[in-house]
Amino acid sequence: MTLYFEEEGETVLPIPCEELARKVAEEALDYTGCPYEAQVNLLLTTNLQIQEMNEEFRGIDRPTDVLSFPMAEYEHPGDFGCLKEQEDCFDPESGELLLGDIVISKDKVISQAEEFGHSLKREYAFLIAHSMLHLTGYDHMEEKERLDMEAKQREILNRLNILR
């Protein structure tokens, strides 16, 4: 898996962000049964920057914890078979599946870890797992989808022994 990692803003999370993101992303791909090598872009940013992006792309003028921008369209969540016909979702040079972009607010990682009473590592890993599921076609618009996604996120983190 190729992870393109970028960080902006003065806040520094005292965890190995790039290494942990790669580990969680790879586990999420294994968990969902992705048969391809994949590429993911990850940007760690500030509340202000993610608020601007949230307004621009979703019409919601407030900061959020994570934004996910999938490159591929899935007929069913985690169904990678439909991607063979979508040539534009593969890197022409490497052949890797272009999963998409993840944007995480470092400020939200800190505040939510405190709010939920768990470590920064756990909160950050949770957001990576959550976003990776979005990049592989999962969503949480309906209650059943939300419960399914939450169970998958827990299982990914449990497999990595990243517990509450």
Side-chain angles (χ1 to χ4, degrees), residues 13-122:
L13 297 176
I15 55 176
C17 292
E18 186 172 357
E19 176 187 330
L20 183 57
R22 184 180 317 283
K23 188 175 178 181
V24 174
E26 287 174 349
E27 187 63 41
L29 292 173
D30 287 345
Y31 181 81
T32 59
C34 181
Y36 304 108
E37 289 297 315
Q39 282 182 31
V40 175
N41 299 308
L42 171 60
L43 171 63
L44 302 185
T45 192
T46 64
N47 270 350
L48 180 60
Q49 292 297 97
I50 207 165
Q51 180 172 344
E52 290 174 3
M53 294 175 84
N54 205 21
E55 169 68 23
E56 180 180 347
F57 294 106
R58 298 178 62 223
I60 300 172
D61 188 19
R62 63 176 156 72
T64 188
D65 52 4
V66 63
L67 292 170
S68 307
F69 300 98
M71 290 290 291
E73 291 188 31
Y74 298 82
E75 292 175 18
H76 304 286
D79 177 11
F80 298 95
C82 68
L83 300 180
K84 291 176 188 170
E85 300 157 8
Q86 298 179 43
E87 294 173 14
D88 60 338
C89 65
F90 291 92
D91 183 310
E93 292 181 21
S94 69
E96 290 177 312
L97 173 61
L98 302 170
L99 279 178
D101 303 326
I102 300 171
V103 181
I104 292 178
S105 166
K106 294 182 285 183
D107 302 316
K108 286 287 189 181
V109 171
I110 293 166
S111 66
Q112 289 178 177
E114 185 175 306
E115 177 184 343
F116 300 130
H118 53 244
S119 69
L120 292 174
K121 177 182 177 180
R122 198 311 182 157

Side-chain angles (χ1 to χ4, degrees), residues 116-134:
F116 300 130
H118 53 244
S119 69
L120 292 174
K121 177 182 177 180
R122 198 311 182 157
E123 182 63 23
Y124 179 73
F126 174 85
L127 294 175
I128 297 291
H130 179 86
S131 198
M132 287 299 294
L133 289 173
H134 278 309

Side-chain angles (χ1 to χ4, degrees), residues 130 134 138-143 145-147 149 153:
H130 179 86
H134 278 309
Y138 291 89
D139 209 343
H140 48 80
M141 299 302 284
E142 307 287 330
E143 181 68 8
E145 293 173 332
R146 182 184 67 78
L147 295 172
M149 223 173 135
Q153 290 161 173

